[in-house]
Amino acid sequence: DVSRFQRLLFLLKRWEGPISCAMHITSFDELYQFYTLVQEQQQQGHNDLFQQYVSIHLLFESPHSEYDESSGARYNFYYPINRLRNLALRNAKEQSDYVFLNDIDFQPTLHAHSSIQSMIEELPPKTFWILPAFERFDSTLPTNATAATTTTPTTTKNDHDDEQEQTVAIINDDNDIHSIPENKASLYDAIQREEVAPFHAYLPAGHGYTNYAKWYTASSIYSVDYGYSFEPYAIVRSKDLHDFYPRYRGYGRNKWSFYLEAHYRNYTFQVLPDHFVVHMNHGFQDGRTFENDGNSDIEFPRFQQHLKEQYGVPISASSEEQLIKTQYRHRGNDGDKFPCHYLTRRNNVEFDIQPNFNGPKYVNTSIKWLPTSPESEYDITVVTMMHPSDGMFSRLKHMANHWSGQISVAIFIPSNEVDGDGDAEERSGWPFFSSWSSSKKTLSLKAEAESKIRKFQADNFDKYGYRISFHLVTDLVPKRGKDRNVFPRNLLRNVALDNAHTSYVLVLDIDLVPSANAHEQLTKNLQSLHKSSSPSTPYALVVPAFERSSKFGGNYNMSDITSAKSRLLEIRNENPQACDVFLKKAKYQAHNATNYDKWYNTNNGEIYSIDYEVDYEPYVVVKRDGNLPPFWEHFTGFGRNKLEWIEELHLSGTKFVVAPDTFVVHKSHKKYGLRKVRPFIVDEYSWRFQEYMQYKYGRSTQDMKEVAAWGSTTFKKWEKIDDKDKTEHVSWEHMLEAAEVREKEFQTCMEVMKKRAA
């Protein structure tokens, strides 16, 4: 709109080439204001570049809202962002064989046009040349400014207000423009000074596929894969280029949909090594969402129908809606990972998922964790899960004190509202709420959890800053919170994993404390593996696990034990029972394959390989990419929940190697709930999970006779448990009913996958 006119002039100075810009006009006053600004630029000798290169195309539209007949929703109220983009694009096609799809708030490398023009004939057909996007950090931004975005060529704002003045204020960016880096060298210096960072890195799907870590050292064009929600700024041949989907207005999906359609039209993506764009900051109102600042939700089904009619894409194949809302987007084609509803319960039926509760407004003000160097390609985030008790936050502090990298935490909250009578434990059915204040009024467990997170952040900000991100998972099934055994461990693990921001993740339980300098040591281990191994071989870097004995380990505090491998070995020599291999007595096969005897004698940072063994379940660092299987979410409560994931890693071809100097130590705690494997977990593992493994990988790691024997023993143990310790959700009746539903859903899932394969 007219308020962004000066940014158009700045863009012209840096681009120094043709610009096709669409301008949104909502009144005759704005039209006169626009005419005055243009006249000033066209005065003889005032701005020769403007007269030579800039063409402006007006879209005149009343701000009064109309109604969508099919939904009854306001339609013309929202800013017509894609109609403007198409207006600019169609006129640009008449002028040039190539177009640069940019927003007016993004400034390119200085003299970008002439530099790219010299190599433009190398651009293959149906290929986008991406300019990586960055943003500056400015704490002085106005919080009530109206967001406005412009595509180059196009300009946008989010909404209109009938009662506002018709003449708009022109944004003055004189100071802002001079602080934008001119070339890659100055950009990298600004990154090191923590003044610039990758654009919206807290939403990695938008631009993360660009692979910033690779770009920092790239000297030639490199290819990247498309991923859902990818929306880069790019140069492409104009011939046969499709339009932006015109019905999207306001905030949400408007540019993303263009690149999704390009993906279905078989376009490919390459990244330019020396060019970039930097966002010129502007404020926007907090709480901007699909629902209240655009018609995205209304138009998404129509867009799906458009893909089906134009390209034969099944509606189900383009249904990334839930992936978008819950940030499950980093793996590329998630449809391959979650081919049917049974394999994931990430929906609004059983659970409400709120990623990044601490939000962009927190994360985006610090760039300590962002990919600011080539080494960040090997950076690691700890992913973990917990419930919101004081004890769990205490364990999180222990973990964060020993881990200098990022931590992604999924927090489980039972049903939103529970009866206010009785104490907190009775009301929630969970012992970890017993420390919460009792009240005669209805208790909102989610509100209490949010309050605890905010307090934790405020109390520990000086120490942890923005390193810890919280993701809330609220149970929507009434009264299910009374079952202490339905803790959705694997759902939580998936949520935490999918909302990590680094290339690698370390999957840990909240009661484990890493050794000193674990983050730095493991990062170096990954770099070493990358140099010595085949890039196509997926690796799981095993971190050896120990446990401090509550009986024999009292003389050694956790900081002492975790200070160094040499100190751990000293303690074990003094008293082996004080800190032994984790679960050595309770379940030796869980960590036996790590080969601790070899680890004790490994020196000089030597990483060694091991063979997978049945029922192995170590703590591992893995690469967060399309090869990484998700956790099987139907394993809830106690039993088989991590074991199955390690088993599938093995079946998928992952090789296991051991970190030579790093370890974790289990921090003992009070047990809660029934620590018994329930019969329907036996069902899930023995039948459905094993059938899926056979189908997907053509084999299983298990001897099914041994699995049957294990199941029989587990059933007998369950029968001996007193009925008063079994809640309604784990009664025989409930388990039989749930088993029938699960089996039906699972078989439907298998049929879907087999049809797709055929």
Side-chain angles (χ1 to χ4, degrees), residues 350-373:
E350 289 197 49
F351 297 97
D352 174 68
I353 299 171
Q354 183 181 353
N356 296 303
F357 167 73
N358 39 340
K361 64 180 180 180
Y362 290 98
V363 177
N364 200 27
T365 57
S366 171
I367 65 173
K368 296 281 187 184
W369 59 272
L370 295 178
T372 57
S373 69

Side-chain angles (χ1 to χ4, degrees), residues 11-36:
L11 177 62
L12 176 63
K13 288 180 181 179
R14 291 180 70 97
W15 179 245
E16 293 184 342
I19 295 177
S20 174
C21 176
M23 185 77 68
H24 190 216
I25 301 294
T26 62
S27 69
F28 285 104
D29 290 333
E30 282 188 20
L31 181 63
Y32 179 76
Q33 189 178 11
F34 163 75
Y35 174 74
T36 302

Side-chain angles (χ1 to χ4, degrees), residues 541-581:
L541 182 62
V542 175
V543 181
F546 296 84
E547 58 183 335
R548 184 179 67 174
S549 168
S550 57
K551 182 177 180 181
F552 300 103
N555 294 329
Y556 306 99
N557 64 49
M558 189 62 74
S559 295
D560 184 24
I561 296 172
T562 59
S563 59
K565 178 180 178 179
S566 58
R567 179 55 182 153
L568 172 70
L569 297 181
E570 286 178 3
I571 293 172
R572 285 187 47 76
N573 287 332
E574 294 169 7
N575 185 352
Q577 292 179 297
C579 194
D580 209 346
V581 173

